[in-house]
Amino acid sequence: QVQLVESGGGLVQAGDSLRLSCAASGRTFRTYAMGWFRQAPGKAREFVSAITWGTGSTYYVDSVKGRFTISRDTAKNTVYLQMNSLKPDDTAVYFCAAGSPPYSPSGFSRISEYDYWGQGTQVTVSS
């Protein structure tokens, strides 16, 4: 089992920054990739970014490229999502996820590739 705890959400204004954290515990050695997803009210959960624990390869959805940066601290088993130049469209509950597939042709963007999920943290961006 892997436990994931997100933190760092909040209410900010457009153009501001936030850093989300996801602390992983449990059998993390079986986790190959960590991802961030978000879900806005009335919308489906969507992929935001992912990173592999071993190589640190990163993946982003086009709408956040150049604004968001994913990183990991392997010593702390923690993944971060630095979000800059936030827009009202970024408003959503952000979820951290852990997955074990060693390879992903989709860039770890599919919900089905993840086995464990955090409880989510709310990010609200006002205009």
Side-chain angles (χ1 to χ4, degrees):
Q1 291 292 325
V2 176
Q3 293 79 42
L4 304 172
V5 179
E6 303 101 331
S7 62
L11 172 62
V12 296
Q13 293 186 333
D16 286 350
S17 299
L18 277 176
R19 189 177 80 156
L20 305 183
S21 299
C22 174
S25 61
R27 306 183 74 174
T28 55
F29 63 89
R30 289 189 174 184
T31 298
Y32 187 80
M34 298 288 291
W36 285 99
F37 289 74
R38 65 187 180 186
Q39 187 166 17
K43 294 187 177 181
R45 191 169 297 189
E46 65 170 357
F47 170 76
V48 176
S49 183
I51 188 168
T52 57
W53 274 120
T55 63
S57 298
T58 58
Y59 307 86
Y60 299 94
V61 68
D62 286 346
S63 61
V64 307
K65 285 181 180 177
R67 299 190 299 122
F68 290 11
T69 302
I70 191 171
S71 61
R72 86 253 192 258
D73 185 329
T74 55
K76 295 181 179 180
N77 283 340
T78 300
V79 174
Y80 305 97
L81 185 68
Q82 177 67 43
M83 305 186 295
N84 299 329
S85 302
L86 282 162
K87 304 175 181 180
D89 284 349
D90 296 319
T91 295
V93 177
Y94 283 70
F95 297 91
C96 175
S100 57
Y103 173 72
S104 171
S106 73
F108 300 99
S109 63
R110 296 175 181 167
I111 291 175
S112 59
E113 293 175 314
Y114 295 87
D115 304 305
Y116 303 99
W117 293 82
Q119 80 289 350
T121 185
Q122 177 70 47
V123 172
T124 302
V125 184
S126 63
S127 58

